[in-house]
Amino acid sequence: MSALHLNDENFDATLKNTDLPVLVDFWAPWCGPCKMLGPVIDELATEQTGRALVAKVDIDSAPGLASRFGISSIPTLMVFKNGEAVKTLRGLQPKSALTAALG
């Protein structure tokens, strides 16, 4: 399973309709570190099936979300629980840090 692709239209509904923690990767196609993180995000999506949702937001396609969450550098990763942001990680992160953030 690959990461969900969220945008301005489906972001709120996706977070509202799950009891699982949600890891959101705010990224852009032109960002080198984001490209390096992409395969890790997809691995986590597969490994966390049933335990967490893993999603990506292309900030170029969803500028409203980038603005709403104050994304000033990418990659920025946020963990949401019950629809609320509970943790923010900035920059390229090891898989272990992302897994721990979901825990």
Side-chain angles (χ1 to χ4, degrees):
M1 178 178 181
S2 62
L4 299 170
H5 290 274
L6 301 181
N7 55 41
D8 293 319
E9 289 77 39
N10 66 4
F11 186 89
D12 289 325
T14 300
L15 266 62
K16 181 180 178 184
N17 292 327
T18 185
D19 293 329
L20 300 173
V22 182
L23 173 69
V24 180
D25 174 21
F26 291 89
W27 72 289
W30 47 263
C31 166
C34 298
K35 289 180 186 177
M36 293 169 56
L37 190 58
V40 174
I41 295 298
D42 286 336
E43 282 178 29
L44 275 176
T46 300
E47 292 172 6
Q48 295 293 323
T49 299
R51 295 188 302 260
L53 292 180
V54 179
K56 299 176 82 159
V57 172
D58 178 348
I59 64 165
D60 290 340
S61 299
L65 289 174
S67 176
R68 177 174 158 191
F69 292 107
I71 306 302
S72 58
S73 64
I74 53 174
T76 293
L77 301 114
M78 298 180 79
V79 176
F80 294 83
K81 292 186 179 175
N82 301 314
E84 300 292 322
V86 295
K87 188 164 192 83
T88 301
L89 302 164
R90 290 183 177 82
L92 189 59
Q93 300 289 321
K95 185 175 168 184
S96 59
L98 301 177
T99 302
L102 284 168

